[in-house]
Amino acid sequence: MTVTRDGAASARIADSIRADILGGRLAPGARIRQEDVAARFGASRLPVREALRSLESDGLVTLVANTGAWVSRLTLEECVEIYQTRERIEPLLLRYAIPHYPDDRVDELSALAARMEATGDVEEFLLLDREFHLLSYEGSGTSLIGDLVHRLWNSTQHYRRAYTTSLDDDRRRIVHDEHHLLTTTLRDGDADGAEHVLEAHIRRTRLQLAQHPEVFEFTEQ
């Protein structure tokens, strides 16, 4: 398939904005002005619009017709709903993926869990945590759940950062223990156990976030 110049520019713009949102450099509710993006990348408005539509489908940007684009944000109630959804569908996605693991998959996950435990940097932890969980679902072969989970992960990235920052030493220890326990159940071939660990792991994040409503406060930008 031939990639047009506008198509290549659109992908490049989308990748850059996506990295800025996931990396916390663009906060929820931040306005994204097409003219500023076009000037930054030396592009016309067309690839910028295509990039923003792509980011909207990823759950990262909200487009309002004839008004503009903003980094997507959630209310506490919306975030709780998303986490409750994740509690139910991610264990199922994990179960779909387990039979298709290559021989070294659990070793890869175990190494990522060790790296998360070793780092004290929040941004590095978030990158490793995302890689850990999405890798655990890789190969599931689903036509719907996998894409939905990626979108839900995107939409909650900022709030996972707030959750991670809020952890005290005891809660941080629990997070690491759950990652190690998940890899142990996977190594043992215990799909039921892995589902239960993952469900509790996601629920713990939801309950902790619900104790910090200030994370969801929004100032117009």
Side-chain angles (χ1 to χ4, degrees), residues 150-170:
H150 274 76
R151 181 182 173 90
L152 296 180
W153 266 76
N154 285 341
S155 65
T156 55
Q157 175 76 4
H158 170 78
Y159 308 98
R160 283 196 308 281
R161 178 177 290 104
Y163 164 73
T164 302
T165 303
S166 74
L167 293 176
D168 58 25
D169 289 343
D170 289 340

Side-chain angles (χ1 to χ4, degrees), residues 10-31:
S10 172
R12 178 168 56 90
I13 293 167
D15 286 345
S16 180
I17 297 175
R18 182 182 296 108
D20 285 343
I21 295 173
L22 295 179
R25 292 177 291 278
L26 282 174
R31 187 164 188 177

Side-chain angles (χ1 to χ4, degrees), residues 126-201:
L126 288 170
L127 286 171
L128 293 170
D129 184 56
R130 183 184 179 94
E131 183 178 358
F132 175 90
H133 286 286
L134 296 186
L135 180 64
S136 75
Y137 307 142
E138 198 170 282
S140 62
T142 63
S143 59
L144 176 63
I145 302 176
D147 289 342
L148 176 57
V149 165
H150 274 76
R151 181 182 173 90
L152 296 180
W153 266 76
N154 285 341
S155 65
T156 55
Q157 175 76 4
H158 170 78
Y159 308 98
R160 283 196 308 281
R161 178 177 290 104
Y163 164 73
T164 302
T165 303
S166 74
L167 293 176
D168 58 25
D169 289 343
D170 289 340
R171 288 190 173 91
R172 192 173 294 109
R173 176 75 266 158
I174 291 171
V175 169
H176 295 312
D177 286 347
E178 287 172 341
H179 286 145
H180 290 301
L181 181 57
L182 182 58
T183 60
T184 298
T185 56
L186 291 170
R187 195 178 299 280
D188 290 344
D190 181 5
D192 289 338
E195 284 190 89
H196 289 313
V197 172
L198 180 59
E199 181 181 354
H201 183 62

Side-chain angles (χ1 to χ4, degrees), residues 17-208:
I17 297 175
R18 182 182 296 108
D20 285 343
I21 295 173
L22 295 179
R25 292 177 291 278
L26 282 174
R31 187 164 188 177
I32 303 174
R33 300 181 185 277
Q34 290 190 24
E35 60 272 23
D36 293 343
V37 175
R40 174 184 169 191
F41 290 94
S44 68
R45 293 287 187 91
L46 178 59
V48 173
R49 285 195 295 269
E50 290 177 349
L52 293 175
R53 282 195 291 267
S54 174
L55 293 167
E56 181 183 39
S57 70
D58 287 343
L60 292 169
V61 167
T62 299
L63 299 179
V64 180
N66 302 316
T67 305
W70 286 263
V71 177
S72 296
R73 61 187 180 93
L74 300 174
T75 64
L76 172 58
E77 292 74 18
E78 289 168 338
C79 193
V80 166
E81 181 180 339
I82 286 175
Y83 268 93
Q84 288 175 328
T85 302
R86 288 184 53 201
E87 285 171 43
R88 287 155 178 78
I89 66 173
E90 287 189 39
L92 177 60
L93 185 61
L94 181 66
R95 181 176 285 274
Y96 277 129
I98 290 171
H100 305 289
Y101 277 7
D103 293 339
D104 62 347
R105 176 56 46 79
V106 178
D107 290 336
E108 291 180 273
L109 294 172
S110 183
L112 287 167
R115 289 173 62 191
M116 279 188 278
E117 187 173 12
T119 186
D121 182 81
V122 169
E123 293 305 320
E124 183 180 11
F125 172 86
L126 288 170
L127 286 171
L128 293 170
D129 184 56
R130 183 184 179 94
E131 183 178 358
F132 175 90
H133 286 286
L134 296 186
L135 180 64
S136 75
Y137 307 142
E138 198 170 282
S140 62
T142 63
S143 59
L144 176 63
I145 302 176
D147 289 342
L148 176 57
V149 165
H150 274 76
R151 181 182 173 90
L152 296 180
W153 266 76
N154 285 341
S155 65
T156 55
Q157 175 76 4
H158 170 78
Y159 308 98
R160 283 196 308 281
R161 178 177 290 104
Y163 164 73
T164 302
T165 303
S166 74
L167 293 176
D168 58 25
D169 289 343
D170 289 340
R171 288 190 173 91
R172 192 173 294 109
R173 176 75 266 158
I174 291 171
V175 169
H176 295 312
D177 286 347
E178 287 172 341
H179 286 145
H180 290 301
L181 181 57
L182 182 58
T183 60
T184 298
T185 56
L186 291 170
R187 195 178 299 280
D188 290 344
D190 181 5
D192 289 338
E195 284 190 89
H196 289 313
V197 172
L198 180 59
E199 181 181 354
H201 183 62
I202 299 170
R203 181 168 61 249
R204 194 179 309 282
T205 305
R206 170 172 61 83
L207 295 175
Q208 178 72 6

